[in-house]
């Protein structure tokens, strides 16, 4: 099996190292990741200047590893169209330092890189750890993520999707199991820290503490906080088909 691995925390981040170390047991891995951290880049692409892809050494037995001077989506796109010798069987993005659940999936570069695979009909997954600590241990999450990926491959699931995997930051014995979930709902409180610079001028720093709105057990964030590894299937088509059907005939549209 050929696997493309991307991330948004950058090619030297501990999360991608731990993930690739496990994935090398599953197949032939090529890493294409940003040369610096590009978190919250979403699906942004670099258009105004050229991209550099530098081949680098990687601390795991990969086939090749490239550090790209672009966004997570640039990395996945370049990997799939140019750097890989053939179409991979799997695109995996992560492991992100910090969860990607609820509305955060819209901002996530980790999830966006995985979507580049789904856009091309390839089975794709985003993996995130529920901890923002740079010293967090990613090895437990890496093993559980690979366990999830093996299950998805063996079950022959719909390939043109992103399977959004979020793992609690606990020891492996404290993980209660794997739960299939839907995207939850949170509300952010106190989103910007208002500060003053040494010259008395205001500046703002995005922070935000999420409050869980939907407490149903099948929500991604509820499952992870309860100690489960969460898998949410995401699709590229954002059309609300229920609303599409309801709107049809409700409005008289000019021809
Ligand atoms: Mn990140």
């Amino acid at each position: 099996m050929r696997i493309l691995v991307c991330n948004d925390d950058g090619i030297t981040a501990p999360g991608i190292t731990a993930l690739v170390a496990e994935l090398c047991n599953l197949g032939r891995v090529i890493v294409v990741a940003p040369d610096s951290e590009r978190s919250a880049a979403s699906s942004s692409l670099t258009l105004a200047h050229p991209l550099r892809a530098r081949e680098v050494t990687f601390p795991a037995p990969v086939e090749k590893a490239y550090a790209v001077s672009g966004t997570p989506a640039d990395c996945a796109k370049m990997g799939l169209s140019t750097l890989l010798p053939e179409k991979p069987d799997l695109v995996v993005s992560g492991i992100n330092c910090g969860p990607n659940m609820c509305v955060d999936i819209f901002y996530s570069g980790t999830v966006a890189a995985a979507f580049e695979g789904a856009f091309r009909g390839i089975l794709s997954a985003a993996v995130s750890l529920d901890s923002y600590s740079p010293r967090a241990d990613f090895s437990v999450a890496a093993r559980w993520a690979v366990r999830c990926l093996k299950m998805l491959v063996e079950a022959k699931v719909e390939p043109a999707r992103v399977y959004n995997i979020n793992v609690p930051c606990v020891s492996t014995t404290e993980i209660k199991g794997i739960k299939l979930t839907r995207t939850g709902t949170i509300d952010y409180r106190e989103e910007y820290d208002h500060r003053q610079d040494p010259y008395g001028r205001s500046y703002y720093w995005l922070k935000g503490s999420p409050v869980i709105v939907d407490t149903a057990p099948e929500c991604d964030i509820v499952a992870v906080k309860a100690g489960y590894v969460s898998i949410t299937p995401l699709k590229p088509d954002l059309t609300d088909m229920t609303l599409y059907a309801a709107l049809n005939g409700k409005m008289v549209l000019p021809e």
Side-chain angles (χ1 to χ4, degrees):
M1 177 156 41
R2 183 176 286 287
I3 308 164
L4 168 64
V5 181
C6 306
N7 79 345
D8 79 356
D9 292 338
I11 194 150
T12 59
I16 197 168
T17 309
L19 177 65
V20 170
E22 289 294 326
L23 281 175
C24 282
N25 302 317
L26 201 64
R28 294 169 296 152
V29 176
I30 293 183
V31 177
V32 185
D35 59 8
S36 62
E37 194 195 329
R38 305 301 294 265
S39 289
S42 188
S43 289
S44 60
L45 296 173
T46 304
L47 301 176
H49 55 84
L51 291 171
R52 307 273 177 189
R54 187 165 44 93
E55 203 178 328
V56 293
T57 55
F58 197 86
V62 296
E63 239 178 54
K64 270 181 175 159
Y66 298 93
V68 172
S69 61
T71 65
D74 284 327
C75 291
K77 225 182 209 328
M78 267 188 89
L80 293 168
S81 65
T82 308
L83 298 173
L84 266 66
E86 62 193 4
K87 190 175 168 177
D89 306 289
L90 195 58
V91 175
V92 191
S93 180
I95 299 171
N96 189 60
C97 183
N100 279 307
M101 306 187 284
C102 306
V103 73
D104 289 345
I105 60 176
F106 280 98
Y107 308 104
S108 169
T110 308
V111 174
F115 263 117
E116 291 298 322
F119 294 160
R120 287 162 181 76
I122 303 163
L123 178 60
S124 302
V127 185
S128 309
L129 180 69
D130 187 29
S131 167
Y132 289 106
S133 169
R135 288 171 302 280
D137 178 12
F138 289 89
S139 63
V140 171
R143 282 196 295 276
W144 280 86
V146 170
R147 196 169 162 188
C148 292
L149 294 170
K150 277 183 182 162
M151 284 169 49
L152 291 165
V153 170
E154 276 163 26
K156 294 189 167 53
V157 293
E158 166 67 43
R161 297 289 184 271
V162 169
Y163 295 86
N164 187 30
I165 302 169
N166 282 275
V167 185
C169 189
V170 294
S171 69
T172 198
T173 51
E174 287 172 293
I175 288 182
K176 290 196 181 134
I178 301 170
K179 243 189 192 175
L180 197 60
T181 59
R182 63 178 168 85
T183 302
T185 311
I186 47 172
D187 234 1
Y188 273 110
R189 304 281 154 81
E190 296 172 9
E191 284 197 73
Y192 286 89
D193 221 11
H194 183 191
R195 304 178 187 179
Q196 275 201 338
D197 72 14
Y199 307 99
R201 292 172 302 203
S202 285
Y203 70 98
Y204 300 85
W205 208 307
L206 184 63
K207 54 168 194 180
S209 42
V211 178
I212 298 174
V213 175
D214 189 345
T215 56
E218 72 273 17
C219 291
D220 50 9
I221 191 165
V222 179
V224 168
K225 296 299 176 198
Y228 291 92
V229 175
S230 159
I231 307 179
T232 313
L234 305 175
K235 59 177 180 174
D237 182 356
L238 299 176
T239 312
D240 181 339
M241 285 312 293
T242 313
L243 187 55
Y244 174 85
L247 288 175
N248 234 335
K250 208 166 197 173
M251 296 179 295
V252 183
L253 301 173
E255 289 277 322

mmCIF file of all heavy atoms in Angstrom, residues 4 6-7 9 36 38 63 119 136 147 150 154 157 166 178 189 199 201 215 228 237 253:
data_model
loop_
_atom_site.group_PDB
_atom_site.id
_atom_site.type_symbol
_atom_site.label_atom_id
_atom_site.label_comp_id
_atom_site.label_asym_id
_atom_site.label_seq_id
_atom_site.Cartn_x
_atom_site.Cartn_y
_atom_site.Cartn_z
ATOM 1 N N LEU A 4 0.446 8.651 1.292
ATOM 2 C CA LEU A 4 0.948 10.023 1.335
ATOM 3 C C LEU A 4 0.619 10.602 2.710
ATOM 4 O O LEU A 4 -0.527 10.525 3.155
ATOM 5 C CB LEU A 4 0.292 10.878 0.241
ATOM 6 C CG LEU A 4 0.518 12.395 0.342
ATOM 7 C CD1 LEU A 4 1.989 12.767 0.186
ATOM 8 C CD2 LEU A 4 -0.322 13.132 -0.708
ATOM 9 N N CYS A 6 0.745 14.069 5.117
ATOM 10 C CA CYS A 6 0.887 15.529 5.181
ATOM 11 C C CYS A 6 0.573 15.977 6.604
ATOM 12 O O CYS A 6 0.162 15.172 7.442
ATOM 13 C CB CYS A 6 -0.096 16.208 4.230
ATOM 14 S SG CYS A 6 -0.015 15.625 2.524
ATOM 15 N N ASN A 7 0.726 17.254 6.878
ATOM 16 C CA ASN A 7 0.254 17.819 8.150
ATOM 17 C C ASN A 7 0.178 19.338 8.030
ATOM 18 O O ASN A 7 0.420 19.879 6.942
ATOM 19 C CB ASN A 7 1.149 17.375 9.323
ATOM 20 C CG ASN A 7 2.447 18.161 9.407
ATOM 21 O OD1 ASN A 7 2.840 18.855 8.468
ATOM 22 N ND2 ASN A 7 3.125 18.054 10.525
ATOM 23 N N ASP A 9 1.359 21.187 11.028
ATOM 24 C CA ASP A 9 2.258 21.659 12.085
ATOM 25 C C ASP A 9 3.709 21.746 11.597
ATOM 26 O O ASP A 9 4.583 22.188 12.346
ATOM 27 C CB ASP A 9 2.192 20.718 13.301
ATOM 28 C CG ASP A 9 0.842 20.801 14.002
ATOM 29 O OD1 ASP A 9 0.158 21.828 13.843
ATOM 30 O OD2 ASP A 9 0.474 19.838 14.699
ATOM 31 N N SER A 36 7.294 24.909 7.614
ATOM 32 C CA SER A 36 7.081 25.576 8.902
ATOM 33 C C SER A 36 5.622 25.391 9.293
ATOM 34 O O SER A 36 4.823 24.923 8.478
ATOM 35 C CB SER A 36 7.406 27.062 8.801
ATOM 36 O OG SER A 36 6.535 27.665 7.866
ATOM 37 N N ARG A 38 1.841 25.728 9.701
ATOM 38 C CA ARG A 38 0.786 26.417 8.946
ATOM 39 C C ARG A 38 -0.591 26.039 9.487
ATOM 40 O O ARG A 38 -1.525 25.798 8.720
ATOM 41 C CB ARG A 38 0.880 26.051 7.444
ATOM 42 C CG ARG A 38 2.231 26.300 6.808
ATOM 43 C CD ARG A 38 2.668 27.751 6.889
ATOM 44 N NE ARG A 38 1.819 28.626 6.122
ATOM 45 C CZ ARG A 38 2.074 29.014 4.875
ATOM 46 N NH1 ARG A 38 3.159 28.597 4.272
ATOM 47 N NH2 ARG A 38 1.247 29.821 4.246
ATOM 48 N N GLU A 63 9.960 6.301 2.101
ATOM 49 C CA GLU A 63 10.567 6.243 0.774
ATOM 50 C C GLU A 63 11.203 7.576 0.434
ATOM 51 O O GLU A 63 12.316 7.653 -0.071
ATOM 52 C CB GLU A 63 9.489 5.890 -0.255
ATOM 53 C CG GLU A 63 9.821 4.627 -1.001
ATOM 54 C CD GLU A 63 8.736 4.241 -1.980
ATOM 55 O OE1 GLU A 63 8.355 5.062 -2.837
ATOM 56 O OE2 GLU A 63 8.269 3.105 -1.868
ATOM 57 N N PHE A 119 -10.912 14.717 -2.627
ATOM 58 C CA PHE A 119 -11.312 15.351 -3.896
ATOM 59 C C PHE A 119 -10.930 14.466 -5.086
ATOM 60 O O PHE A 119 -11.569 14.510 -6.126
ATOM 61 C CB PHE A 119 -10.616 16.708 -4.087
ATOM 62 C CG PHE A 119 -11.020 17.782 -3.105
ATOM 63 C CD1 PHE A 119 -10.194 18.886 -2.890
ATOM 64 C CD2 PHE A 119 -12.215 17.701 -2.398
ATOM 65 C CE1 PHE A 119 -10.557 19.879 -1.991
ATOM 66 C CE2 PHE A 119 -12.585 18.691 -1.493
ATOM 67 C CZ PHE A 119 -11.747 19.781 -1.290
ATOM 68 N N ALA A 136 3.248 16.909 24.356
ATOM 69 C CA ALA A 136 2.293 15.793 24.413
ATOM 70 C C ALA A 136 2.894 14.531 23.784
ATOM 71 O O ALA A 136 3.726 14.621 22.886
ATOM 72 C CB ALA A 136 1.015 16.179 23.691
ATOM 73 N N ARG A 147 -4.768 1.774 13.861
ATOM 74 C CA ARG A 147 -5.805 0.755 14.095
ATOM 75 C C ARG A 147 -7.111 1.163 13.373
ATOM 76 O O ARG A 147 -7.746 0.328 12.719
ATOM 77 C CB ARG A 147 -6.043 0.647 15.605
ATOM 78 C CG ARG A 147 -6.767 -0.582 16.016
ATOM 79 C CD ARG A 147 -6.728 -0.742 17.525
ATOM 80 N NE ARG A 147 -7.773 -1.671 17.934
ATOM 81 C CZ ARG A 147 -8.107 -1.909 19.187
ATOM 82 N NH1 ARG A 147 -7.484 -1.282 20.169
ATOM 83 N NH2 ARG A 147 -9.070 -2.756 19.469
ATOM 84 N N LYS A 150 -6.615 0.759 9.528
ATOM 85 C CA LYS A 150 -6.693 -0.657 9.121
ATOM 86 C C LYS A 150 -8.157 -1.084 9.040
ATOM 87 O O LYS A 150 -8.560 -1.781 8.094
ATOM 88 C CB LYS A 150 -5.958 -1.538 10.137
ATOM 89 C CG LYS A 150 -4.462 -1.606 9.911
ATOM 90 C CD LYS A 150 -3.851 -2.563 10.938
ATOM 91 C CE LYS A 150 -2.348 -2.639 10.814
ATOM 92 N NZ LYS A 150 -1.735 -3.202 12.016
ATOM 93 N N GLU A 154 -9.972 -2.352 5.655
ATOM 94 C CA GLU A 154 -10.541 -3.711 5.622
ATOM 95 C C GLU A 154 -12.045 -3.688 5.374
ATOM 96 O O GLU A 154 -12.588 -4.575 4.721
ATOM 97 C CB GLU A 154 -10.225 -4.440 6.937
ATOM 98 C CG GLU A 154 -8.847 -5.066 6.925
ATOM 99 C CD GLU A 154 -8.336 -5.420 8.312
ATOM 100 O OE1 GLU A 154 -9.157 -5.642 9.219
ATOM 101 O OE2 GLU A 154 -7.100 -5.476 8.471
ATOM 102 N N VAL A 157 -14.507 0.967 3.005
ATOM 103 C CA VAL A 157 -15.405 2.116 3.134
ATOM 104 C C VAL A 157 -15.328 2.998 1.887
ATOM 105 O O VAL A 157 -14.381 2.897 1.107
ATOM 106 C CB VAL A 157 -15.056 2.958 4.381
ATOM 107 C CG1 VAL A 157 -15.341 2.178 5.660
ATOM 108 C CG2 VAL A 157 -13.607 3.435 4.339
ATOM 109 N N ASN A 166 -10.112 11.878 15.873
ATOM 110 C CA ASN A 166 -9.621 12.655 17.011
ATOM 111 C C ASN A 166 -9.389 11.702 18.176
ATOM 112 O O ASN A 166 -10.248 10.863 18.473
ATOM 113 C CB ASN A 166 -10.628 13.731 17.402
ATOM 114 C CG ASN A 166 -10.560 14.924 16.458
ATOM 115 O OD1 ASN A 166 -9.752 15.831 16.633
ATOM 116 N ND2 ASN A 166 -11.393 14.893 15.422
ATOM 117 N N ILE A 178 -13.348 2.889 20.258
ATOM 118 C CA ILE A 178 -13.498 3.742 19.064
ATOM 119 C C ILE A 178 -14.988 3.974 18.834
ATOM 120 O O ILE A 178 -15.773 3.021 18.875
ATOM 121 C CB ILE A 178 -12.851 3.077 17.830
ATOM 122 C CG1 ILE A 178 -11.355 2.804 18.074
ATOM 123 C CG2 ILE A 178 -13.044 3.945 16.589
ATOM 124 C CD1 ILE A 178 -10.691 1.939 17.018
ATOM 125 N N ARG A 189 -16.350 31.337 23.560
ATOM 126 C CA ARG A 189 -16.505 32.488 24.455
ATOM 127 C C ARG A 189 -15.177 33.243 24.528
ATOM 128 O O ARG A 189 -14.123 32.637 24.458
ATOM 129 C CB ARG A 189 -16.895 32.011 25.869
ATOM 130 C CG ARG A 189 -18.153 31.164 25.919
ATOM 131 C CD ARG A 189 -19.429 31.997 25.846
ATOM 132 N NE ARG A 189 -20.541 31.223 25.295
ATOM 133 C CZ ARG A 189 -21.276 30.361 25.992
ATOM 134 N NH1 ARG A 189 -21.012 30.145 27.244
ATOM 135 N NH2 ARG A 189 -22.277 29.712 25.404
ATOM 136 N N TYR A 199 3.595 50.901 23.398
ATOM 137 C CA TYR A 199 3.315 52.289 23.005
ATOM 138 C C TYR A 199 1.873 52.686 23.296
ATOM 139 O O TYR A 199 1.413 53.729 22.873
ATOM 140 C CB TYR A 199 3.648 52.480 21.512
ATOM 141 C CG TYR A 199 5.052 52.018 21.207
ATOM 142 C CD1 TYR A 199 5.283 50.755 20.653
ATOM 143 C CD2 TYR A 199 6.151 52.815 21.531
ATOM 144 C CE1 TYR A 199 6.570 50.303 20.423
ATOM 145 C CE2 TYR A 199 7.448 52.368 21.301
ATOM 146 C CZ TYR A 199 7.649 51.114 20.745
ATOM 147 O OH TYR A 199 8.920 50.678 20.531
ATOM 148 N N ARG A 201 -0.857 51.195 22.270
ATOM 149 C CA ARG A 201 -1.835 50.861 21.221
ATOM 150 C C ARG A 201 -2.410 49.473 21.443
ATOM 151 O O ARG A 201 -1.717 48.575 21.917
ATOM 152 C CB ARG A 201 -1.159 50.920 19.840
ATOM 153 C CG ARG A 201 -0.761 52.333 19.443
ATOM 154 C CD ARG A 201 0.065 52.343 18.180
ATOM 155 N NE ARG A 201 1.290 51.533 18.326
ATOM 156 C CZ ARG A 201 2.382 51.702 17.592
ATOM 157 N NH1 ARG A 201 2.416 52.622 16.657
ATOM 158 N NH2 ARG A 201 3.434 50.938 17.770
ATOM 159 N N THR A 215 -24.786 18.172 23.469
ATOM 160 C CA THR A 215 -24.156 17.203 24.384
ATOM 161 C C THR A 215 -24.515 15.750 24.057
ATOM 162 O O THR A 215 -24.280 14.860 24.868
ATOM 163 C CB THR A 215 -24.549 17.508 25.849
ATOM 164 O OG1 THR A 215 -25.982 17.495 25.921
ATOM 165 C CG2 THR A 215 -24.013 18.839 26.321
ATOM 166 N N TYR A 228 -13.160 8.307 24.250
ATOM 167 C CA TYR A 228 -13.203 7.480 23.038
ATOM 168 C C TYR A 228 -12.413 8.116 21.905
ATOM 169 O O TYR A 228 -12.344 9.344 21.799
ATOM 170 C CB TYR A 228 -14.645 7.305 22.554
ATOM 171 C CG TYR A 228 -15.489 6.455 23.467
ATOM 172 C CD1 TYR A 228 -16.236 7.039 24.474
ATOM 173 C CD2 TYR A 228 -15.519 5.067 23.337
ATOM 174 C CE1 TYR A 228 -17.008 6.273 25.336
ATOM 175 C CE2 TYR A 228 -16.287 4.290 24.194
ATOM 176 C CZ TYR A 228 -17.029 4.897 25.192
ATOM 177 O OH TYR A 228 -17.776 4.132 26.042
ATOM 178 N N ASP A 237 -18.811 17.456 -0.588
ATOM 179 C CA ASP A 237 -20.025 18.155 -1.028
ATOM 180 C C ASP A 237 -20.764 18.714 0.188
ATOM 181 O O ASP A 237 -21.326 17.977 0.986
ATOM 182 C CB ASP A 237 -20.920 17.174 -1.787
ATOM 183 C CG ASP A 237 -22.190 17.847 -2.313
ATOM 184 O OD1 ASP A 237 -22.402 19.049 -2.032
ATOM 185 O OD2 ASP A 237 -22.967 17.170 -2.998
ATOM 186 N N LEU A 253 -38.068 31.336 -9.260
ATOM 187 C CA LEU A 253 -36.796 31.888 -9.709
ATOM 188 C C LEU A 253 -36.906 32.367 -11.151
ATOM 189 O O LEU A 253 -37.540 31.709 -11.973
ATOM 190 C CB LEU A 253 -35.695 30.827 -9.597
ATOM 191 C CG LEU A 253 -35.466 30.249 -8.185
ATOM 192 C CD1 LEU A 253 -34.497 29.104 -8.243
ATOM 193 C CD2 LEU A 253 -34.956 31.330 -7.240
#
